[in-house]
Amino acid sequence: MEPLSARVVSDAVVYPVLRRREPESEHDILLMGVFDANGDYVERTVTDRRSGERGAPLPREEHAQTVDDEPIQAVYAGKLHMHFGHFILESAARLWWAAAHPDVEIVWTAEHDWQDESFRPWQREILDILGVRNPIRFITRPTRFRTLHVPDIGYRYDDWIHPDHARFLAQHRGPSAEPGRRLWLSRGAIDSGIRDLGSDAAERHLRAAGWTVVNPERMSVREQLDQISRAEVIGGEEGSAFHAILLLADVGARRFEVVRRRGPEHRNFRTIGEARDVDQRFHSLAGERILHAEGRDVTKLSRSAVALLDALEVPRALPLAPRAGDRAAAAIARERKVQRLLEVGARTAFAAATSGARTVLVVSTRLEEDPRAYRALEGRVDELPLARYRELFVETPGTYDLIRIAGETAEEVLRDVDASAEFATADTVWVLDDDAAGREAAAALREREGTVVRHERAGGETAWTVARG
């Protein structure tokens, strides 16, 4: 492979980015580029991509009549991206030359209407990791430079990276991998909804299984890299947090487990993985519901953590010890010879598993034990709010003889009592835990006309039962 090189353009004009959307097109065209003293386009100075939005030279008829003049030399860095992954892959693609010439000003071309004109702390930290100390300028107006250095790109989104550029990026030397350490890169704190909205349950179970769960966007770049470096297994939803591995000097002896958004994983993952010889596996999970999808922007919801735990080969945990409310609900179900039981908000699935009911369903965002703990409940555990479960996964609600409701507060209990009415018949009985939330909810329900509330003892425990009068 030919080594990377740089061209020199005299009296070069750098244009900011102007977005255009062609009719029927899914992505914007980025009009931009570098033009020489004759107004001719300098090849390979627009955004060069194999997917998504793409660059094109600004048409000559749209060239400015007047431009800002800067009688200095500079190095062209291409389009400025304010997104973590795109900054590493695209905005840093020409910095290999800049790092070797620290006195030459870097110019990034920005959106023509960009008002911020400042770097984020994480961007400055990435430059520091790469040893880039150059002065910086953002181009939002057409600007002429006496001498402009135009390096080759070291990374083409999304299918190619030059080995010299890969070596240039691999600067951070983190700590050694700790035997058995497993790390989950959570997307739970990102600003957008491009993630699995049901990830809280999965992350709770991963923590219980000994995984470390981190939110990369709440950490410095070096902290992110050190977390990855210390782990033997790194997992997470497909996203740009994984692109940070390009900055690590050593990624050997680590395995990466990536949950796809929808369909095949983005080709960037394959490109990076092959360049760094990464051991990585990709997973599409059963039980996901796509709520919104526009290109690579996907919002989805998993019904439970079961598919993820299986994909990550997390050993199935034993059931947890039941709580008083679990034992009471199970005993009441057995005494009444209940055939159909719905559990909402439970912390364990003990009552559902030991009730003797022929048909059981557990719907809970509070489940503390492994949702696979009871093999008899396979496919009968949904880790969602009851109303969301009903909205997304139930066409016609089935009915239950007994509905057990548990919650943190009386408001939660009352909300789920009302939401579960669709799953009830005239003879359905509700069971509430005999805790602070249950007692307060029972008192409120006693005030409702046509409702019979009793305090009962079963199996050595107490609970509240609610029926229609």
Side-chain angles (χ1 to χ4, degrees):
M1 184 178 293
E2 291 293 322
L4 294 169
S5 62
R7 294 164 286 165
V8 177
V9 183
S10 299
D11 295 324
V13 178
V14 179
Y15 276 85
V17 176
L18 180 64
R19 289 183 174 271
R20 290 277 170 81
R21 177 66 66 92
E22 296 293 330
E24 314 254 330
S25 175
E26 185 179 347
H27 301 287
D28 288 345
I29 294 176
L30 308 177
L31 300 178
M32 55 185 294
V34 175
F35 298 82
D36 65 18
N38 297 320
D40 294 328
Y41 169 65
V42 177
E43 294 294 329
R44 304 190 305 279
T45 58
V46 301
T47 294
D48 184 5
R49 286 178 154 196
R50 291 298 177 268
S51 63
E53 58 189 24
R54 298 175 186 178
L58 184 72
R60 184 181 287 268
E61 61 269 20
E62 296 193 40
H63 286 195
Q65 296 299 312
T66 60
V67 300
D68 295 346
D69 275 297
E70 292 293 343
I72 61 171
Q73 67 169 332
V75 54
Y76 179 69
K79 184 181 184 302
L80 175 65
H81 289 272
M82 305 305 289
H83 178 279
F84 182 81
H86 290 283
F87 184 81
I88 293 175
L89 301 185
E90 300 186 85
S91 294
R94 303 178 195 262
L95 294 185
W96 60 268
W97 190 95
H101 302 83
D103 296 331
V104 180
E105 185 172 75
I106 298 172
V107 295
W108 270 287
T109 180
E111 306 277 342
H112 76 285
D113 56 355
W114 189 47
Q115 301 296 321
D116 192 343
E117 299 194 23
S118 63
F119 256 175
R120 306 293 185 261
W122 58 263
Q123 290 171 308
R124 294 196 176 278
E125 189 177 5
I126 288 173
L127 296 187
D128 188 57
I129 290 170
L130 297 177
V132 175
R133 309 283 188 265
N134 308 56
I136 292 170
R137 181 190 300 263
F138 306 122
I139 302 299
T140 57
R141 293 170 49 83
T143 304
R144 178 185 291 110
F145 294 91
R146 183 184 63 203
T147 303
L148 187 69
H149 301 274
V150 181
D152 294 337
I153 57 171
Y155 190 97
R156 181 176 63 197
Y157 188 98
D158 53 16
D159 66 348
W160 177 86
I161 184 170
H162 195 286
D164 291 345
H165 186 62
R167 284 189 287 272
F168 161 70
L169 292 175
Q171 297 296 323
H172 183 79
R173 298 194 174 278
S176 299
E178 300 173 9
R181 184 176 177 83
R182 295 155 296 168
L183 177 71
W184 181 260
L185 303 176
S186 170
R187 290 178 63 84
I190 62 172
D191 293 334
S192 72
I194 304 172
R195 63 185 185 91
D196 185 343
L197 300 183
S199 62
D200 286 352
E203 291 170 10
R204 183 170 64 249
H205 297 310
L206 287 175
R207 288 189 186 95
W211 286 62
T212 298
V213 178
V214 300
N215 298 107
E217 57 278 355
R218 292 177 175 170
M219 309 168 74
S220 71
V221 179
R222 285 185 175 86
E223 287 172 339
Q224 294 179 48
L225 295 173
D226 284 347
Q227 285 282 356
I228 293 172
S229 188
R230 291 170 56 199
E232 284 191 330
V233 179
I234 300 95
E237 295 179 57
E238 182 180 346
S240 61
F242 285 97
H243 300 341
I245 68 174
L246 281 169
L247 304 178
L248 280 173
D250 177 22
V251 293
R254 294 169 181 82
R255 186 175 79 248
F256 293 84
E257 305 278 3
V258 183
V259 177
R260 297 183 178 101
R261 291 187 181 180
R262 182 183 63 154
E265 66 279 359
H266 201 288
R267 283 185 297 186
N268 282 316
F269 281 81
R270 296 290 183 181
T271 303
I272 295 169
E274 291 169 6
R276 297 304 309 274
D277 194 23
V278 168
D279 178 10
Q280 55 185 350
R281 301 193 303 177
F282 299 92
H283 307 281
S284 297
L285 303 183
E288 295 178 333
R289 174 64 60 89
I290 302 299
L291 304 180
H292 173 79
E294 185 175 351
R296 300 299 302 174
D297 294 350
V298 178
T299 301
K300 59 185 180 180
L301 184 69
S302 290
R303 295 181 66 162
S304 79
V306 168
L308 176 64
L309 297 175
D310 286 345
L312 297 179
E313 299 175 357
V314 175
R316 186 190 300 259
L318 294 173
L320 296 179
R323 297 168 181 245
D326 301 325
R327 292 190 295 270
I332 290 172
R334 289 193 297 269
E335 288 179 1
R336 294 173 181 251
K337 295 181 171 52
V338 165
Q339 295 300 301
R340 297 178 61 82
L341 168 66
L342 170 62
E343 272 212 280
V344 180
R347 294 190 184 277
T348 83
F350 173 84
T354 63
S355 65
R358 185 182 73 253
T359 301
V360 296
L361 174 65
V362 179
V363 181
S364 176
T365 61
R366 303 197 310 151
L367 196 65
E368 293 178 353
E369 69 187 356
D370 189 326
R372 306 165 300 171
Y374 293 97
R375 293 183 184 275
L377 298 182
E378 184 175 346
R380 301 180 183 182
V381 177
D382 284 273
E383 297 182 272
L384 301 172
L386 180 61
R388 201 67 185 269
Y389 165 76
R390 166 66 179 93
E391 173 192 0
L392 296 177
F393 298 105
V394 179
E395 292 186 10
T396 303
T399 56
Y400 294 86
D401 310 325
L402 191 73
I403 301 177
R404 186 263 182 111
I405 306 287
E408 295 285 349
T409 66
E411 289 74 16
E412 289 181 7
V413 173
L414 291 169
R415 177 201 64 200
D416 285 337
V417 166
D418 292 337
S420 64
E422 285 190 274
F423 299 87
T425 69
D427 297 323
T428 294
V429 173
W430 283 262
V431 176
L432 313 184
D433 290 359
D434 192 10
D435 58 10
R439 286 190 291 273
E440 186 177 342
L445 289 168
R446 185 177 280 121
E447 300 301 316
R448 295 185 181 182
E449 186 176 352
T451 301
V452 178
V453 179
R454 293 189 176 91
H455 193 234
E456 297 190 15
R457 177 174 292 277
E461 304 291 349
T462 56
W464 298 91
T465 60
V466 181
R468 292 166 174 163

